Amino acid sequence: MITKNLEIDETFLAGKLLRDGKLVAFPTETVYGLGARADSDNSIKRIFDVKGRPSFNPLIVHVASIRMAKDIAIFDKQTLKLINKLWPGPITFVVPLKNDHNISKFVTAGLDSVAIRFPKSTIAQQILLSAGVPIAAPSANLSGRISPTSASEVFEDLGGKINAILDGGPCEVGVESTIIKTDPITLLRPGVISPEDIRHITGTEVFLSHEDASITAPGQLKSHYAPKAPVRLNVHNPEPNEVLLGFGDVGNATLNLSPSANLSEAAKNLFYMLRKLDQALSKDDFKVIAVSPIPKIGIGLAINDRLKRASAPRY
Ligand code: TXA
Ligand code: MG
């Protein structure tokens, strides 16, 4: 089932499907998520199955309120300050699980911490409210591939394998949520909410996680978000075997993330355009996706992070 022009009935139905243990893909302000009841071992196992996701890579639990989050995990003073300012929104917090939580151990990959997010998207909120239970939702792509920012991209990867896909149009932000681990506050994944935004609220330093900090961020794999074609970064003059994904006023781009060099627009277009170029490359002789340099400021940090993973050697 794919729905267009979402009505309240459809989000209500999606919530009911989730409550019944089914798998439903739905839009959030960042990317589309593949949702399932976070308290159901069986539903969560199906998520790992259909995505082909390694079981050691834990999922983000999505909630419809701060109260719901507090039923699951422990929030220290500083984190409470952050969630009060930044939720609902495109930021996830990795916090200690409470003793009496009912989250499936498959969600957390057996860790004693849990990643939680209260999304801002109205459609996502309506679905979560209708479900009435915490919903685990990784990005709705096959594992290791590019996150989807539209319903048709979800369909390309997961069509026929899941119970429903809700079409809420293109995602507003376009890259996944910022992930913060608390105590001490550490950035695990850059997103639209920046370390500076966090520093402003807490007045304290934000640590950056190391590239190979495999314990704190099991999912921060070096090669990720990968198109099938190789990717080369910071390119001014593409080689004859390359197509250029441009940024700013470049004349020779096949697609341009933002001709006016607007980083928010570039983030919104990034995954969609990488997919489009990848599909085109599989049909003709061009072999490599070359990408213009993108400033490493604001959401440009998140864009460069995703591009770096897309261009990393595959194992
Ligand atoms: O914007 C988003 O966050 C989207 C939408 C759907 O909400 N979701 C998303 O989920 O990007 P996913 O599964 O693609 O990424 C979740 C990341 C993984 O890198 C995983 O390793 C990390 O969260 N994560 C989850 N639980 C963790 C934990 N306890 N400790 C450290 N990292 C954790
Ligand atoms: Mg993902």
Side-chain angles (χ1 to χ4, degrees):
M1 163 174 95
I2 290 204
T3 59
K4 290 246 182 227
N5 303 321
L6 283 184
E7 305 275 337
I8 184 94
D9 295 8
E10 284 150 349
T11 55
F12 177 80
L13 274 176
K16 186 178 168 350
L17 284 173
L18 285 166
R19 202 165 55 234
D20 290 346
K22 303 286 198 288
L23 265 50
V24 178
F26 60 88
T28 79
E29 70 275 24
T30 55
V31 299
Y32 275 68
L34 175 61
R37 279 186 83 118
D39 60 357
S40 161
D41 286 353
N42 282 337
S43 304
I44 298 303
K45 276 198 239 167
R46 268 193 72 205
I47 283 196
F48 282 90
D49 257 16
V50 301
K51 278 183 59 93
R53 182 176 177 111
S55 59
F56 60 79
N57 191 1
L59 308 178
I60 297 175
V61 174
H62 293 62
V63 292
S65 65
I66 290 180
R67 188 188 45 74
M68 216 184 207
K70 286 182 180 169
D71 285 343
I72 301 168
I74 302 161
F75 293 85
D76 61 22
K77 256 196 183 153
Q78 209 170 38
T79 315
L80 280 176
K81 215 167 163 184
L82 286 168
I83 62 174
N84 283 326
K85 286 260 190 221
L86 299 172
W87 272 359
I91 184 160
T92 298
F93 292 93
V94 173
V95 282
L97 274 166
K98 280 176 104 168
N99 280 333
D100 57 350
H101 72 84
N102 59 354
I103 301 298
S104 162
K105 61 182 179 302
F106 298 110
V107 168
T108 56
L111 298 169
D112 50 15
S113 61
V114 62
I116 308 192
R117 176 157 112 82
F118 177 6
K120 192 172 190 166
S121 146
T122 315
I123 295 174
Q125 285 187 10
Q126 283 171 353
I127 292 170
L128 292 167
L129 278 173
S130 162
V133 290
I135 298 297
S139 48
N141 50 281
L142 291 172
S143 182
R145 306 219 59 83
I146 300 165
S147 294
T149 53
S150 69
S152 58
E153 290 160 66
V154 177
F155 191 80
E156 276 168 24
D157 275 19
L158 302 176
K161 294 183 177 174
I162 59 178
N163 301 98
I165 301 172
L166 263 81
D167 187 347
C171 299
E172 199 185 310
V173 175
V175 295
E176 304 88 342
S177 61
T178 305
I179 304 183
I180 293 292
K181 192 174 166 56
T182 59
D183 194 24
I185 294 182
T186 310
L187 179 72
L188 299 185
R189 180 173 73 184
V192 65
I193 295 179
S194 68
E196 293 76 51
D197 296 331
I198 291 158
R199 223 172 279 134
H200 265 302
I201 297 168
T202 59
T204 57
E205 194 180 344
V206 178
F207 295 94
L208 301 179
S209 74
H210 295 290
E211 267 293 299
D212 47 9
S214 54
I215 294 166
T216 49
Q220 310 310 107
L221 305 172
K222 269 192 186 151
S223 168
H224 211 57
Y225 315 100
K228 289 174 197 123
V231 177
R232 192 164 74 92
L233 305 183
N234 301 314
V235 175
H236 290 283
N237 299 305
E239 303 289 332
N241 68 327
E242 293 179 330
V243 290
L244 183 66
L245 178 58
F247 177 80
D249 186 15
V250 292
N252 47 357
T254 301
L255 289 176
N256 198 317
L257 290 167
S258 173
S260 64
N262 176 317
L263 287 171
S264 301
E265 183 185 30
K268 197 169 171 171
N269 285 331
L270 178 68
F271 289 151
Y272 169 76
M273 288 189 174
L274 278 176
R275 265 187 197 247
K276 281 286 150 245
L277 288 180
D278 208 26
Q279 282 161 357
L281 292 191
S282 63
K283 290 190 202 111
D284 66 31
D285 292 341
F286 286 106
K287 294 270 184 313
V288 176
I289 300 172
V291 189
S292 294
I294 295 171
K296 294 187 176 69
I297 46 164
I299 197 172
L301 287 173
I303 297 173
N304 277 288
D305 169 77
R306 305 312 189 267
L307 283 171
K308 199 169 144 206
R309 288 175 208 285
S311 68
R314 321 283 161 77
Y315 302 103

